[in-house]
Amino acid sequence: MTVERKRPVRRTTVADVARLAGVSAMTVSNVLNAPHRVSEPTVRTVQAAIDELGYTPNHAARALSSGRSHVIGLPLYLEDDAFSDQNPGLGGFLHGLLGGLVKSAAVSGYGVHVTTPTEGATEIALYERLFAARQVDAVVVLETMPRDPRIEFLSAKGFPFVAFGRTGPQQRQCWVDVDNEVSMAAIARHVRETGRTRAAYLATASSLPWVHQRQEGFLQEFTSPHSLRSFDDLDAVAAWVESTLGCEDKPDVFVADNDAFAVVAMRTLQRHGVKVGQDIAVTGFNDFPFASMLDTPLTTARIPLRDIAACLFDRALREISGDPDQPGRLVTAPLVVRASA
């Protein structure tokens, strides 16, 4: 008996996609590798052809031909207490950012490599290892500082990167950041317009730029606040809020620069019989998942992590492609009004 051998199924190619979409193979390649270079209608047309043909890029072949890994690196340098009770919501923040990066990368056939330095190693040493092994095409740098040594290193080496946080004026401007000043000013304006005049500001004791930016936004609306205090931990926030309740001219609103401080202030007030949102208002910043689930839902600013992640990935692609430097991009965190204010 003769067994008929089946012909192997031919793999769909870029040329097939280009033919169906009515574009060149180079355009298909740009849609896959650098979609920012292609108009949105063309991207939709090519994507429809990809979906119809069931085309799957051959990542191994692409890596060999382009010398790229088609992976974005997300190094996380976290202290041992990063997810402690003093940092509630950090896990949700990172999850939202990572989820947005993964989704944006997947559309362009990229992956995201999450890693952390080994004990005793620095984040810069991790960058060297990732690029030396060609494991990533670019890295995302989190929480940048003025004259950040990580940015200096990456720039000197010519390694593609994108920063979540502003870089210095003399450094490459491939960054995306929250417009903390404008966003906090919107919160302060809201509480002022609802009749609150004795505002107490609860600030994070940190040198991170966003702390200063949010405070500046608050002071645009409350040039002479009732008080402005900085705190290292949640217990200190609770103790100070409690200490104000016996004052004749106690604050009529607590404006916190993060949701955790706001929740502690709310709980302290409620333990003393204060009706939050009626007697005294409270606001936060970030809109972590728990903010809407409280007995008195929290008024806050929502950091649009998915939008920021999409911007970060788009800027990373531009860096990988060697496109000219562009100004950094600020993203507003919109005000979310709930019962607490």
Side-chain angles (χ1 to χ4, degrees):
M1 181 177 64
T2 303
V3 179
E4 183 179 350
R5 297 179 61 184
K6 293 183 179 180
R7 291 184 178 180
V9 178
R10 188 177 74 87
R11 184 184 181 90
T12 302
T13 67
V14 167
D16 297 326
V17 175
R19 193 176 303 111
L20 179 60
V23 298
S24 68
M26 180 59 72
T27 298
V28 175
S29 178
N30 281 335
V31 169
L32 293 170
N33 299 304
H36 60 278
R37 292 182 171 179
V38 187
S39 68
E40 288 189 15
T42 301
V43 170
R44 289 195 295 269
T45 299
V46 172
Q47 189 59 54
I50 288 172
D51 294 341
E52 181 176 338
L53 295 173
Y55 172 71
T56 302
N58 186 329
H59 295 293
R62 288 170 65 189
L64 285 172
S65 62
S66 66
R68 298 176 182 171
S69 65
H70 291 89
V71 174
I72 301 294
L74 180 61
L76 300 178
Y77 193 60
L78 300 173
E79 301 295 339
D80 292 340
D81 63 349
F83 294 96
S84 70
D85 292 340
Q86 297 299 326
N87 292 279
L90 179 58
F93 178 86
L94 292 176
H95 181 269
L97 180 65
L98 177 58
L101 275 174
V102 169
K103 184 176 181 180
S104 298
V107 172
S108 297
Y110 269 75
V112 177
H113 177 50
V114 181
T115 185
T116 189
T118 56
E119 185 175 356
T122 65
E123 192 169 331
I124 288 177
L126 178 59
Y127 297 156
E128 286 189 293
R129 179 168 60 80
L130 289 173
F131 282 108
R134 297 188 178 181
Q135 291 180 275
V136 300
D137 295 331
V139 293
V140 179
V141 183
L142 302 180
E143 292 191 321
T144 56
M145 298 286 288
R147 301 184 63 83
D148 196 306
R150 299 171 299 173
I151 303 301
E152 297 285 356
F153 171 80
L154 291 166
S155 298
K157 291 289 187 178
F159 293 153
F161 72 90
V162 61
F164 186 6
R166 288 161 240 193
T167 59
Q170 304 304 318
Q171 297 174 328
R172 289 160 61 191
Q173 298 299 297
C174 46
W175 56 263
V176 180
D177 196 18
V178 178
D179 196 335
N180 291 291
E181 190 170 326
V182 167
S183 303
M184 181 58 84
I187 294 176
R189 189 179 311 115
H190 167 72
V191 298
R192 186 171 54 78
E193 290 174 349
T194 54
R196 309 289 177 173
T197 59
R198 299 187 306 279
Y201 188 76
L202 310 178
T204 303
S206 171
S207 60
L208 287 170
W210 63 262
V211 174
H212 172 74
Q213 293 157 7
R214 292 180 191 179
Q215 183 171 306
E216 287 298 308
F218 168 76
L219 291 174
Q220 288 179 20
E221 298 296 326
F222 288 93
T223 54
S224 300
H226 179 280
S227 56
L228 196 156
R229 298 293 185 94
S230 297
F231 302 93
D232 288 310
D233 59 66
L234 303 181
D235 292 338
V237 174
W240 186 78
V241 171
E242 184 174 22
S243 73
T244 67
L245 296 179
C247 302
E248 185 175 341
D249 64 339
K250 61 180 175 290
D252 60 8
V253 58
F254 289 94
V255 178
D257 72 4
N258 66 83
D259 286 349
F261 282 10
V263 170
V264 170
M266 289 174 62
R267 289 177 175 171
T268 302
L269 295 171
Q270 289 164 342
R271 281 199 302 269
H272 288 80
V274 176
K275 295 180 180 178
V276 175
Q278 299 178 39
D279 302 333
I280 299 177
V282 178
T283 67
F285 200 110
N286 287 329
D287 198 29
F288 287 143
F290 58 73
S292 63
M293 304 175 189
L294 303 168
D295 291 340
T296 303
L298 179 64
T299 292
T300 186
R302 176 179 296 156
I303 296 181
L305 290 173
R306 295 299 175 94
D307 294 341
I308 289 171
C311 292
L312 286 169
F313 181 72
D314 180 69
R315 294 302 295 261
L317 283 184
R318 293 176 184 274
E319 286 293 302
I320 293 167
S321 301
D323 289 356
D325 201 17
Q326 295 183 343
R329 179 170 178 179
L330 289 173
V331 179
T332 301
L335 173 66
V336 181
V337 177
R338 300 192 180 104
S340 74

